[in-house]
Amino acid sequence: MFTKKRLELIIEKPAMKRACRVLEDAGVKGYTIFPAMGGYGNSMRWQRGTDLSASRDMVMFICVFDADIITKVSAELENLFGSHIGVLSLSDVAVLRDDKF
Amino acid sequence: MFTKKRLELIIEKPAMKRACRVLEDAGVKGYTIFPAMGGYGNSMRWQRGTDLSASRDMVMFICVFDADIITKVSAELENLFGSHIGVLSLSDVAVLRDDKF
Amino acid sequence: MFTKKRLELIIEKPAMKRACRVLEDAGVKGYTIFPAMGGYGNSMRWQRGTDLSASRDMVMFICVFDADIITKVSAELENLFGSHIGVLSLSDVAVLRDDKF
Amino acid sequence: MSAELIFSTLLSPIVLFFVLGLGAALMRSQMTVPQSFAKGLAIYLMMAIGLKGGVEMSKTALTPEIFGIAAIALILSLGMPFLAYMMLRVTSKMSRIDAAATAGHYGSISIVTFVAATQALELAGIVTSGYMVAMAALMEVPAIMSALILARRGMKKSGEVAGSEKGELFREVFLNASVVVLVGALAIGWITGEAGMSKISPFFVTPFQGVLCLFLLDMGLNAGRGLRQGWRQLDIGALSFGITMPLIGAALTTAICYAMGLSVGDAALLITLAASASYIAVPAAMRLALPKAQPSIYLTLSLGVTFPFNLTLGIPLYIMLAQWAGG
Amino acid sequence: MSAELIFSTLLSPIVLFFVLGLGAALMRSQMTVPQSFAKGLAIYLMMAIGLKGGVEMSKTALTPEIFGIAAIALILSLGMPFLAYMMLRVTSKMSRIDAAATAGHYGSISIVTFVAATQALELAGIVTSGYMVAMAALMEVPAIMSALILARRGMKKSGEVAGSEKGELFREVFLNASVVVLVGALAIGWITGEAGMSKISPFFVTPFQGVLCLFLLDMGLNAGRGLRQGWRQLDIGALSFGITMPLIGAALTTAICYAMGLSVGDAALLITLAASASYIAVPAAMRLALPKAQPSIYLTLSLGVTFPFNLTLGIPLYIMLAQWAGG
Amino acid sequence: MSAELIFSTLLSPIVLFFVLGLGAALMRSQMTVPQSFAKGLAIYLMMAIGLKGGVEMSKTALTPEIFGIAAIALILSLGMPFLAYMMLRVTSKMSRIDAAATAGHYGSISIVTFVAATQALELAGIVTSGYMVAMAALMEVPAIMSALILARRGMKKSGEVAGSEKGELFREVFLNASVVVLVGALAIGWITGEAGMSKISPFFVTPFQGVLCLFLLDMGLNAGRGLRQGWRQLDIGALSFGITMPLIGAALTTAICYAMGLSVGDAALLITLAASASYIAVPAAMRLALPKAQPSIYLTLSLGVTFPFNLTLGIPLYIMLAQWAGG
Ligand SMILES: Nc1ncnc2c1ncn2[C@@H]1O[C@H](COP(=O)(O)O)[C@@H](O)[C@H]1O
Ligand SMILES: Nc1ncnc2c1ncn2[C@@H]1O[C@H](COP(=O)(O)O)[C@@H](O)[C@H]1O
Ligand SMILES: Nc1ncnc2c1ncn2[C@@H]1O[C@H](COP(=O)(O)O)[C@@H](O)[C@H]1O
Ligand code: NA
Ligand code: NA
Ligand code: NA
């Protein structure tokens, strides 16, 4: 098994494409996006489907990548969070195929 | 980077609002909820969309928070699992902004 | 608290039932599946809802289980990845109820 | 007459699409009707039924007879769970709490079964009253109370579930989608009457039966999957309850209709309501109020056994009972 | 006449279903119309409106008067945000950027409000022109520009947001669903004319009002939830802006319509457009262009305050204003 | 006649809405029709087609000619993949397995293309037979077998994929949504006949063309996105295959229709079926049966190239071929 970094990025849906570009430019080999259905932050609950503009929806990126590029990734994402709503966390994971990430 | 706790709470959807209140009362600053589409437990598979009452749907809470409140959170959640179906796991994650959590 | 393994398996939806059988045969007591809405891999982005066959959709399995069965699980999943598109990662998590997993 | 009735019901497009879905699910087809699409159709159907009933109610005065039927409907919804509970405890190995939750489903009603009965009656040329929709709405909720009484009887007083809030059960029970939409549309139909309805009937009346076909295809898939996943959890006593309970409810209600001298159409609908079991509103309420009752038991029974039975053999039978009671 | 107008608007099924949804949400009912189903209905409604407008435009020549109205529409969409911004800065404690984003919403329009006004006019037997749909389409986008000008005025030049791309804002603004579908359907209606329309009118024309009922039930739920979640964030100045701004926009436009001598129907629609506020296209654009503006502020105002006001009291009032201006 | 035919097809609302969606996607609009809504519409369309075909079949006896056409349909579905495979191996650099999977798509059919052809024929006043729907259903599956034969030829026998189960491929192929719904509705239409249909035709017949517009808007978006994402993966040989293969299939089938003396309408439909390629049922089966074949190749070709070609230029061409063969 090989140790990699797992990034979990919860960000507002309108900024999704921007996050895609940030991750791709930083050189990750892949990521997957999941739709959130609700949440809480800033003392307020939100729920998907209560406004048709979907401008308050959130999505989660899960991205497994090599520790090498971590500085590049986090610097750019910090910039993104300067403007957009979201949270980010990093952890260690084990994977089977080293060259895949 | 700062070390925080990451809670992953998979719980039946009818108990979603109760889990919201438990987490908010315990003092977490935010969480995000994701809809599950199927699963397995108790030797039985379930699949979303096979009953209109949605009473067997599950959701997942992801919540990043400070280790300080962990005892409060887990005590209350244990009570919740006394009645409702679900699983819970905790891990360590690194975050960029300490004060956000 | 007890330490368990957390498996995160992102796999193409057409292979979902196969992954279910692999995990069940390996002896896990439960798992939950989440629908992805998009992603990136192999220098290409994909997005749910752009083809009606849904043959490029991905799903994520989250499965918490005892470290005992890890060899069985990963051997079979490696076989699955020989044919199907996806990624897999493993990490350690803490749980409240030992016998549940 | 009766063979013809069974025949025409069984060979109506709505029943055939239901059977198609049921068959596909039992043969393990992976096909699905997207849940959100089906839920949208369900809201459409409830709006349509409510509006139709409301408009018809706006045409006639409220007679004492209506209040009489309403009283009977209430009593049936409240009372049948007690009967069902006793039956389950005697004939099956179900736990006290599972039996109580299941019993609640059989006091409440299935609006789709009600609609299918309306269609079958229309086909047979039998008239029904608009206020029967109000009876359906009236019977949804009281059974839940009875289930709670049954479940809490003799249970040691337990503490509150963490995170529960005063009023959440009330909202779940009285403000769930089917109550809001059905009662709301009934009121709107009543207020706007024939005039308001004329503009929207091309959407709510004309295509109604067709939408029902599509919806029943999905119900067939759901019923089949529910049965396939859940039947192993049920012993033979429980499984047969899914058919005997509707029959007992129907027999009881037939006697009442006979005593009250109800018209054939209204009697057939009241019998159908009594015989039908909830699979949307009550399961959702049970997860909140009695989370320890197992959903796979009550859903398998009401959706996988009773609903298919009622939709195919039940409805023609209930119409025949009503004809006998009314004749 | 006017009491009757208010009465018939308020008691029309579409308004009653809106009120049903609003009430259910305010009473904290958990019921929802699935988002994807509602979005599908929204696309249907925009196609239907566009087609209808296009077909009617295909029947008449483009007169100079039409270009005159178009010019007014453009000026209103561009200009009203400046007015709104000043009002907000004076009457509420909103930050510069929140005020700018909110102002943009009030220059743009709500297509559902427009449709509801069309229905009310039809009910009152007042004719309208097909090209008014084009005016609605025309007023969607320019207000966004004004909002950006307002927001960036005096802002220190900030760097690019990471990952942003040239053209993404342009695409969001000019190629969003409502622009694509509305303008596209308008063009298709124009090209195919009455002949092409005849085949598809059983889907796009006949059931239109009924679909609107279902859609407005959902809008009521959304508006109620928006209000319940967001009103605490707004001070009294902001909340009252949600009603005074439509009234000021309406008054201004009434004066213009009077000066131009517009027909009663067209005047009523132009006044309604001016008075309505966007809650789909503009919020989405604002998240990209002004991510620091708080969505809970502008959405609560436009969806939770202005939309319900317009749909119930606003529309009959605007029709009366138009009758006065045109009479 | 022919210029008129092309003109009227290209300017029909359904084609224009397709082009609208295609254009929006190519210009990178973010607009979408929610997947679950579109899937619901797809089920509706298949039910409607099946019912219509079934009802028409119930009116006439099964003649030997029908069995003759069925045999031809089967042979085309089974045989064309071999032809397609050879073409792909010669003209493009596609791997053996990708070529086999792609070939399977072109033996199977696109039901939406079939429906669009029906509409174009109706517009041109050319009659078609109800049993052609059965031919469409018949041609869906056999091509998948041929693809598997082609892919496994000369492949070293590999072990089972972990977790695979006997029967899963069978269920995916014979019990997928389009087979279940199309064949099921065909049977139901046959059983209930004109009488059963009359009640549901306000839903399944009258609004059909309008629903098709909405559905084709979504198909345009999908085709445009498929093309934009995937074309880089394809060499010029593969891309041109997406147009030459339909033409070859059409030519071949024209010859057969001429030899058999088929009516113009039926010939046009059979030619369209031969020329069309699957993008729902076959891709799903291929992910299970040949997971190593790349979906971006076969989906881009069938959905991004062949489908738009057929819908715009193909159908009028195939009708002309049929007129020539039948005249
Ligand atoms: N490193 C990764 N982290 C998360 N998801 C990934 C990663 N790589 C690939 N994926 C997902 O797996 C799919 C197929 O990737 P690939 O096998 O690279 O073609 C992608 O579209 C993503 O959804
Ligand atoms: N600690 C957290 N854990 C998980 N999700 C969070 C957390 N904080 C915020 N979120 C998500 O981010 C959204 C915006 O939060 P905020 O930036 O606090 O307004 C919330 O609605 C949640 O969906
Ligand atoms: N070990 C597990 N890992 C992930 N999800 C689980 C696990 N066990 C149970 N679940 C989820 O929780 C639901 C209820 O499980 P149970 O409590 O075992 O009946 C299952 O249907 C799964 O969706
Ligand atoms: Na009952
Ligand atoms: Na405005
Ligand atoms: Na073909």
Side-chain angles (χ1 to χ4, degrees):
Chain A
M1 298 256 190
F2 307 88
T3 303
K4 301 282 164 185
K5 286 287 170 194
R6 175 182 183 275
L7 173 77
E8 187 172 282
L9 169 64
I10 298 174
I11 196 166
E12 54 174 334
K13 199 173 164 197
M16 186 173 85
K17 287 275 150 106
R18 289 178 177 169
C20 289
R21 291 185 208 110
V22 164
L23 291 174
E24 289 165 28
D25 292 349
V28 308
K29 289 198 192 153
Y31 54 77
T32 309
I33 312 175
F34 298 87
M37 61 179 283
Y40 172 79
N42 231 330
S43 308
M44 258 204 320
R45 284 195 206 152
W46 69 270
Q47 207 180 334
R48 186 173 61 183
T50 54
D51 86 278
L52 273 169
S53 72
S55 57
R56 282 186 294 193
D57 281 12
M58 308 284 293
V59 299
M60 171 171 69
F61 283 72
I62 290 182
C63 179
V64 179
F65 59 95
D66 205 280
D68 291 356
I69 55 174
I70 200 160
T71 345
K72 180 115 196 271
V73 169
S74 36
E76 284 289 283
L77 287 175
E78 257 195 290
N79 172 324
L80 199 60
F81 283 128
S83 302
H84 286 291
I85 298 172
V87 298
L88 172 161
S89 65
L90 278 165
S91 59
D92 290 323
V93 288
V95 301
L96 294 174
R97 298 168 293 171
D98 190 25
D99 54 327
K100 176 92 188 135
F101 302 92
Chain B
M1 298 256 189
F2 306 88
T3 302
K4 301 283 164 186
K5 286 288 171 194
R6 176 183 183 274
L7 173 78
E8 188 172 282
L9 169 65
I10 299 174
I11 195 166
E12 54 174 336
K13 198 172 164 198
M16 186 174 85
K17 288 275 150 102
R18 288 178 178 169
C20 289
R21 292 185 208 110
V22 163
L23 291 174
E24 288 165 26
D25 291 349
V28 307
K29 288 197 190 153
Y31 54 78
T32 309
I33 312 174
F34 298 87
M37 62 179 283
Y40 172 79
N42 230 329
S43 309
M44 259 206 317
R45 286 196 204 150
W46 69 272
Q47 208 180 333
R48 186 173 61 182
T50 54
D51 87 279
L52 274 169
S53 71
S55 57
R56 281 185 294 193
D57 282 11
M58 308 281 294
V59 299
M60 171 171 68
F61 283 72
I62 291 182
C63 179
V64 177
F65 59 95
D66 206 279
D68 291 357
I69 55 174
I70 200 161
T71 345
K72 181 114 196 272
V73 169
S74 35
E76 284 288 283
L77 287 175
E78 258 194 288
N79 172 325
L80 199 59
F81 284 129
S83 302
H84 286 291
I85 297 171
V87 298
L88 172 161
S89 65
L90 278 165
S91 59
D92 289 324
V93 289
V95 302
L96 294 173
R97 298 168 294 172
D98 189 24
D99 54 330
K100 177 90 188 134
F101 302 92
Chain C
M1 299 255 188
F2 307 87
T3 303
K4 300 282 164 186
K5 286 288 170 193
R6 176 183 183 274
L7 173 78
E8 188 172 282
L9 169 65
I10 298 175
I11 195 166
E12 54 174 335
K13 200 174 165 196
M16 186 172 85
K17 288 274 150 103
R18 288 178 178 170
C20 289
R21 293 186 207 110
V22 163
L23 291 173
E24 289 165 27
D25 290 350
V28 308
K29 289 199 191 151
Y31 54 77
T32 309
I33 312 175
F34 298 87
M37 62 179 282
Y40 171 79
N42 230 329
S43 308
M44 258 206 317
R45 286 195 203 153
W46 69 271
Q47 208 180 334
R48 186 173 60 184
T50 54
D51 87 278
L52 273 169
S53 71
S55 58
R56 282 186 292 194
D57 282 12
M58 307 283 293
V59 299
M60 171 171 68
F61 283 73
I62 290 181
C63 178
V64 179
F65 59 95
D66 206 279
D68 291 356
I69 54 175
I70 200 161
T71 345
K72 180 115 197 269
V73 169
S74 35
E76 284 288 282
L77 288 175
E78 258 193 290
N79 172 324
L80 199 59
F81 283 129
S83 303
H84 287 291
I85 297 172
V87 297
L88 171 161
S89 65
L90 278 165
S91 59
D92 289 324
V93 290
V95 302
L96 295 173
R97 297 169 293 172
D98 189 25
D99 54 330
K100 176 90 186 134
F101 302 92
Chain D
M1 174 77 214
S2 62
E4 207 181 296
L5 186 67
I6 296 178
F7 204 71
S8 77
T9 305
L10 286 182
L11 294 187
S12 71
I14 58 176
V15 173
L16 289 174
F17 275 109
F18 175 78
V19 171
L20 176 64
L22 194 71
L26 291 178
M27 289 164 73
R28 299 179 59 192
S29 163
Q30 296 296 314
M31 90 151 280
T32 52
V33 177
Q35 191 180 21
S36 57
F37 192 75
K39 215 182 141 196
L41 296 185
I43 292 173
Y44 163 87
L45 293 174
M46 288 186 296
M47 283 173 88
I49 303 160
L51 283 168
K52 191 157 167 262
V55 168
E56 271 164 53
M57 281 175 74
S58 76
K59 293 187 207 156
T60 52
L62 286 179
T63 60
E65 198 202 0
I66 299 182
F67 291 99
I69 304 179
I72 296 296
L74 267 178
I75 292 169
L76 281 171
S77 179
L78 277 170
M80 280 193 301
F82 290 90
L83 196 65
Y85 179 80
M86 282 185 303
M87 271 187 65
L88 280 171
R89 295 288 287 164
V90 170
T91 63
S92 83
K93 293 200 203 73
M94 238 179 247
S95 76
R96 199 176 277 268
I97 198 159
D98 286 331
T102 306
H105 289 69
Y106 283 82
S108 184
I109 57 112
S110 148
I111 202 77
V112 181
T113 312
F114 175 79
V115 171
T118 322
Q119 304 290 328
L121 287 163
E122 219 180 286
L123 214 69
I126 302 171
V127 286
T128 56
S129 307
Y131 54 71
M132 289 309 293
V133 179
M135 304 306 151
L138 218 53
M139 289 178 74
E140 272 213 78
V141 168
I144 299 175
M145 321 288 167
S146 304
L148 298 191
I149 293 170
L150 283 164
R152 283 174 187 169
R153 214 177 38 111
M155 225 164 79
K156 54 187 172 301
K157 184 103 185 67
S158 67
E160 281 284 271
V161 175
S164 57
E165 194 190 54
K166 246 187 75 180
E168 64 177 349
L169 183 61
F170 175 88
R171 288 196 302 272
E172 180 64 45
V173 166
F174 286 100
L175 295 175
N176 66 52
S178 51
V179 171
V180 166
V181 176
L182 203 58
V183 175
L186 202 65
I188 292 172
W190 202 357
I191 295 171
T192 63
E194 199 71 69
M197 193 64 182
S198 66
K199 290 267 177 169
I200 55 180
S201 69
F203 180 64
F204 286 116
V205 179
T206 337
F208 183 79
Q209 281 218 29
V211 179
L212 200 55
C213 287
L214 183 36
F215 189 73
L216 279 174
L217 172 65
D218 181 52
M219 289 296 301
L221 289 166
N222 290 348
R225 276 184 195 126
L227 196 56
R228 236 177 43 73
Q229 283 165 10
W231 70 270
R232 271 186 224 86
Q233 310 238 329
L234 300 173
D235 55 34
I236 188 75
L239 280 170
S240 61
F241 171 87
I243 292 177
T244 50
M245 183 64 211
L247 293 177
I248 292 174
L252 183 71
T253 315
T254 305
I256 296 173
C257 291
Y258 179 76
M260 288 186 74
L262 241 61
S263 77
V264 173
D266 292 359
L269 290 181
L270 196 63
I271 296 169
T272 303
L273 286 173
S276 72
S278 169
Y279 42 79
I280 302 186
V282 180
M286 287 303 144
R287 290 316 299 146
L288 266 193
L290 301 176
K292 294 220 170 133
Q294 294 175 60
S296 53
I297 290 180
Y298 48 73
L299 270 172
T300 305
L301 271 179
S302 74
L303 184 59
V305 180
T306 303
F307 181 69
F309 170 72
N310 277 339
L311 206 66
T312 50
L313 300 175
I315 288 174
L317 177 66
Y318 307 148
I319 297 179
M320 283 188 271
L321 285 175
Q323 284 173 325
W324 171 85
Chain E
M1 174 76 215
S2 61
E4 206 180 295
L5 186 66
I6 297 178
F7 204 71
S8 77
T9 305
L10 285 182
L11 294 188
S12 72
I14 58 176
V15 174
L16 289 174
F17 274 109
F18 176 77
V19 172
L20 176 64
L22 194 71
L26 291 178
M27 288 164 73
R28 298 178 61 191
S29 163
Q30 296 297 314
M31 89 153 279
T32 52
V33 177
Q35 191 180 19
S36 58
F37 192 76
K39 217 181 139 196
L41 295 185
I43 292 173
Y44 163 87
L45 293 174
M46 287 185 298
M47 283 172 88
I49 303 159
L51 282 169
K52 192 157 166 262
V55 169
E56 272 164 53
M57 280 175 74
S58 76
K59 292 187 208 155
T60 53
L62 287 179
T63 61
E65 199 201 359
I66 300 182
F67 290 101
I69 305 178
I72 297 296
L74 267 179
I75 292 169
L76 282 171
S77 178
L78 276 170
M80 280 192 302
F82 290 90
L83 195 66
Y85 179 80
M86 282 185 304
M87 272 186 65
L88 281 169
R89 295 290 287 164
V90 171
T91 63
S92 84
K93 291 201 205 71
M94 237 179 249
S95 76
R96 199 177 276 269
I97 197 161
D98 286 331
T102 306
H105 289 69
Y106 283 81
S108 184
I109 57 111
S110 149
I111 202 75
V112 181
T113 312
F114 175 80
V115 172
T118 322
Q119 304 290 328
L121 287 163
E122 218 181 286
L123 214 69
I126 301 171
V127 285
T128 56
S129 308
Y131 54 72
M132 290 309 293
V133 179
M135 304 305 151
L138 218 53
M139 288 179 75
E140 274 214 78
V141 168
I144 299 175
M145 321 288 168
S146 304
L148 298 191
I149 293 170
L150 283 164
R152 282 171 187 172
R153 213 176 39 112
M155 225 163 80
K156 52 187 173 306
K157 185 102 188 65
S158 66
E160 281 285 271
V161 175
S164 57
E165 193 189 55
K166 244 187 76 183
E168 63 177 351
L169 183 61
F170 175 88
R171 288 196 301 271
E172 181 65 43
V173 165
F174 286 99
L175 294 175
N176 66 51
S178 50
V179 171
V180 166
V181 177
L182 203 58
V183 175
L186 201 65
I188 292 172
W190 202 358
I191 295 171
T192 63
E194 199 71 68
M197 193 64 182
S198 66
K199 289 266 177 167
I200 55 179
S201 68
F203 180 63
F204 286 115
V205 179
T206 337
F208 184 80
Q209 281 219 30
V211 179
L212 201 56
C213 288
L214 182 37
F215 189 72
L216 279 174
L217 172 65
D218 182 51
M219 289 297 300
L221 290 166
N222 290 347
R225 278 187 193 124
L227 197 56
R228 235 175 43 72
Q229 283 166 9
W231 71 269
R232 271 185 223 88
Q233 310 238 329
L234 299 173
D235 56 33
I236 186 77
L239 280 171
S240 62
F241 171 86
I243 291 176
T244 51
M245 183 62 210
L247 293 177
I248 291 174
L252 183 72
T253 315
T254 305
I256 296 173
C257 291
Y258 180 74
M260 288 186 72
L262 239 63
S263 76
V264 174
D266 292 358
L269 290 181
L270 196 63
I271 297 169
T272 303
L273 286 173
S276 73
S278 170
Y279 42 78
I280 301 186
V282 181
M286 288 302 144
R287 291 317 299 147
L288 266 193
L290 301 175
K292 293 218 169 133
Q294 295 176 59
S296 54
I297 291 180
Y298 47 73
L299 270 172
T300 305
L301 271 179
S302 73
L303 184 59
V305 179
T306 304
F307 181 70
F309 170 72
N310 277 338
L311 205 67
T312 51
L313 299 176
I315 288 174
L317 176 66
Y318 307 147
I319 297 180
M320 283 186 271
L321 284 175
Q323 284 173 326
W324 171 85
Chain F
M1 175 76 215
S2 62
E4 208 180 293
L5 186 67
I6 297 179
F7 204 72
S8 76
T9 305
L10 285 181
L11 293 187
S12 71
I14 58 175
V15 173
L16 289 173
F17 273 109
F18 176 78
V19 171
L20 176 63
L22 193 72
L26 291 178
M27 289 164 73
R28 299 178 60 190
S29 163
Q30 295 296 313
M31 91 152 279
T32 51
V33 177
Q35 192 181 19
S36 58
F37 192 75
K39 216 181 139 197
L41 296 185
I43 292 173
Y44 163 86
L45 293 174
M46 288 185 296
M47 284 173 87
I49 302 160
L51 282 169
K52 193 158 165 263
V55 168
E56 272 165 53
M57 280 175 73
S58 76
K59 293 187 209 155
T60 53
L62 287 178
T63 60
E65 198 201 359
I66 300 181
F67 290 101
I69 305 178
I72 297 295
L74 267 178
I75 292 170
L76 282 170
S77 179
L78 276 169
M80 281 194 300
F82 290 89
L83 195 65
Y85 180 81
M86 283 186 304
M87 273 187 65
L88 280 170
R89 295 289 287 164
V90 170
T91 63
S92 84
K93 293 201 203 72
M94 238 180 246
S95 76
R96 200 177 276 268
I97 198 160
D98 286 331
T102 307
H105 290 69
Y106 283 81
S108 185
I109 57 114
S110 148
I111 202 76
V112 181
T113 312
F114 175 81
V115 172
T118 321
Q119 304 290 327
L121 287 163
E122 217 180 288
L123 214 69
I126 301 172
V127 284
T128 56
S129 308
Y131 54 72
M132 290 308 293
V133 179
M135 304 305 150
L138 217 51
M139 289 179 74
E140 274 213 77
V141 168
I144 299 174
M145 321 288 168
S146 304
L148 298 191
I149 294 170
L150 283 163
R152 282 171 189 174
R153 215 177 37 113
M155 224 165 80
K156 53 186 173 302
K157 185 103 186 67
S158 67
E160 280 284 271
V161 175
S164 58
E165 193 190 55
K166 247 188 75 183
E168 63 177 352
L169 183 61
F170 176 88
R171 289 196 300 272
E172 181 64 43
V173 165
F174 287 100
L175 295 174
N176 66 51
S178 50
V179 171
V180 166
V181 177
L182 203 58
V183 175
L186 201 66
I188 292 172
W190 202 359
I191 294 171
T192 63
E194 199 72 68
M197 193 64 182
S198 67
K199 289 266 177 167
I200 55 179
S201 68
F203 180 63
F204 286 115
V205 179
T206 337
F208 184 80
Q209 281 219 29
V211 179
L212 200 55
C213 288
L214 182 37
F215 189 73
L216 278 174
L217 172 65
D218 182 51
M219 289 297 301
L221 290 165
N222 290 348
R225 279 188 192 123
L227 197 56
R228 234 175 44 71
Q229 285 165 8
W231 70 270
R232 271 185 224 87
Q233 311 239 330
L234 298 174
D235 56 34
I236 187 75
L239 280 170
S240 61
F241 171 86
I243 292 176
T244 50
M245 183 63 209
L247 293 177
I248 290 174
L252 182 71
T253 314
T254 306
I256 296 173
C257 292
Y258 180 74
M260 288 186 71
L262 240 63
S263 77
V264 173
D266 292 359
L269 290 181
L270 196 62
I271 297 169
T272 303
L273 286 173
S276 73
S278 170
Y279 42 77
I280 302 186
V282 181
M286 288 302 145
R287 290 318 298 147
L288 267 193
L290 300 176
K292 293 216 171 135
Q294 295 176 59
S296 53
I297 291 179
Y298 47 74
L299 270 172
T300 305
L301 271 179
S302 75
L303 185 59
V305 180
T306 303
F307 181 69
F309 171 72
N310 277 339
L311 206 66
T312 52
L313 300 175
I315 288 174
L317 176 65
Y318 307 147
I319 297 179
M320 283 188 271
L321 285 176
Q323 283 173 325
W324 171 85

